[in-house]
Amino acid sequence: MFPKEVYWKRRKRLREQVGSGILLLPGNNESAMNYRANTYHFRQDSSFLYFFGISQPGLAAICDIDAGEDILYGDDLEIDDIIWMGEHPTISELAGSVGAERSRGSAEFSADVQKALEQGRKVHLLPAYRGDQLLRLADLFGCSVGEVNGYVSEEFIKAVVALRSVKDAFEIAEIEKAVDVAYIMHTTAMKMGFPGNFERELAGAIEGIALSHGGPVSFPIILSMDGQTLHNHDHSNELVEGRMVVTDAGAETSLGYASDITRTFPVGGKFSGRQRDVYEIVLKASMEAIQHTRPGTRNLDLHLGAARTIAEGLKGLGILTGNTEDIVAAGAHALFFPHGLGHMMGLDVHDMEGLGEDYVGYDESVSRSDQFGLAYLRMGRELKEGFVFTIEPGCYFIPALINLWKKEGKHKEFINYSKAESFIGLGGVRIEDDVLVTATGHRVLGTPIPKTVEEVEATMHS
Ligand code: GLY
């Protein structure tokens, strides 16, 4: 954990920002996989981790704004638990370790919330996303499960987003650790990227690397020769010469911070001319977006810049035609770049997405577009010092989408469909880095992961 003052100060600032009432932070519980005692890997709620830092099931917390104190709720282990799970610090010791003023038994959580409700105090809740929490909260508020999120406090969400969006030095160091593990994961995948190996062998090896460094992967590994499927979790193909592998994978540190990196490499270690052409377009979009990253720049503008670079590159390949600005304004490039340039990153790989993507990525000055492709941009807002976010342009040849748009005649003034069809089978290229916004510009976090054509090929053969 970070020093206890870090958590204490975060909670103090949170209480100051919301103003009055009590703030509920129910921690996560174990989640059964196939029967009660056989559970999924435990993952604490990220906001609970941010304010209380304790990764343990069965905890809850209240920040009492009016009393100016924070209370940790949970039960000390009894001898039966100790036999199976070993000794753990008491709840009072845990509360002390994060600077919380008081600790109470878990049953007191409901009682204290009930009391606050009866007293007409404002009870602030964040959106719930797990079934057991929804049931527990429905019970607490005396409403149906479907009504629980009606109790969510926008004030609370906005305060949490404001605090968690700006990473401090402790957090940046943690994210860099996670990127350094991703370095080993990605260079290992590259070195295994030869015909005869199966995708599952690469995926298994790199998941093991994350685990051996103390955390799980930060999201299920995406690794496939069928990289045209953006989030492909199927790892059943045997690698064959002439294809490329998209690997989108990251690690989580023991404190819960994520990395999220994508690299694309050619099976066998040598890009073909056509693969290289598409790769270089995406690489240029990546480098330029990183270069333009600084406080005050809108991520929307970085995204549109990447879209222009990709459109320009595809014009060079004869796939698109016409004025680049017109192509991007119409959204024709999104046939090949159908996702956003990136998202916030931190304790969640899509940081704070559970609180509502638009609270995190948009504000009064930038609202989400409903145009295909641009609508998937998770963050359009202006960048600020301390933000950590991904820059992940991509270019894909998705047969179903090309066929659909062709049938509809969509953007046919800009798209050379027969040329586009000739690229089907190339799959996709995505390149992703984790970038910190600094006072004067940016810093790509972690040990640089091979990225240029030459670096990727050299790593594969090293
Ligand atoms: N890298 C996986 C994702 O952003 O969803």
Side-chain angles (χ1 to χ4, degrees), residues 275-294:
Q275 289 171 342
R276 187 180 178 130
D277 288 343
V278 176
Y279 190 91
E280 295 281 11
I281 292 169
V282 179
L283 182 65
K284 185 164 190 274
S286 157
M287 302 295 239
E288 287 175 355
I290 291 171
Q291 214 46 47
H292 287 115
T293 296
R294 63 182 62 90

Side-chain angles (χ1 to χ4, degrees), residues 68 70 86 94 99 143 202 219 221 255 291 321 376 410:
D70 305 314
L94 287 174
C143 65
L202 280 63
F219 56 94
I221 289 173
L255 297 193
Q291 214 46 47
T321 179
Y376 295 128
K410 200 163 170 179

Side-chain angles (χ1 to χ4, degrees), residues 257-271:
Y257 286 84
S259 56
D260 183 3
I261 300 287
T262 307
R263 289 293 184 265
T264 305
F265 56 82
V267 176
K270 180 90 190 137
F271 285 94

Side-chain angles (χ1 to χ4, degrees), residues 36 40 67 84 135 159-160 167 204 272 278 285 287 296 299 318 325 335 339 353 377 398 405 457 462:
R36 195 159 171 259
Y40 289 104
W84 290 95
L135 288 169
V160 173
K167 271 63 182 179
S272 71
V278 176
M287 302 295 239
N299 200 45
E325 292 295 334
L335 176 56
H339 60 74
E353 193 165 293
L377 179 62
I398 306 169
W405 280 30
E457 290 183 351
S462 67

Side-chain angles (χ1 to χ4, degrees), residues 332-352:
H333 67 285
L335 176 56
F336 310 102
F337 176 31
H339 60 74
L341 185 65
H343 50 82
M344 289 278 229
M345 226 192 58
L347 279 164
D348 304 303
V349 68
H350 292 177
D351 211 22
M352 300 169 279

Side-chain angles (χ1 to χ4, degrees), residues 354-411:
L355 301 180
E357 210 171 75
D358 284 356
Y359 287 114
V360 181
Y362 291 90
D363 57 19
E364 311 70 42
S365 63
V366 194
S367 49
R368 189 187 286 264
S369 162
D370 57 10
Q371 186 186 68
F372 176 80
L374 198 48
Y376 295 128
L377 179 62
R378 299 181 197 278
M379 176 168 71
R381 66 188 281 201
E382 204 173 271
L383 302 172
K384 289 195 177 143
E385 182 182 355
F387 282 14
V388 174
F389 71 123
T390 65
I391 291 186
E392 48 178 314
C395 183
Y396 313 86
F397 298 92
I398 306 169
L401 193 59
I402 293 173
N403 293 341
L404 179 70
W405 280 30
K406 183 182 178 187
K407 206 165 106 200
E408 292 173 348
K410 200 163 170 179
H411 300 308

Side-chain angles (χ1 to χ4, degrees), residues 15-34:
R15 285 193 258 106
E16 286 164 359
Q17 289 199 18
V18 180
S20 70
I22 63 170
L23 306 163
L24 305 193
L25 284 161
N28 279 341
N29 294 311
E30 296 282 18
S31 187
M33 193 160 52
N34 51 343

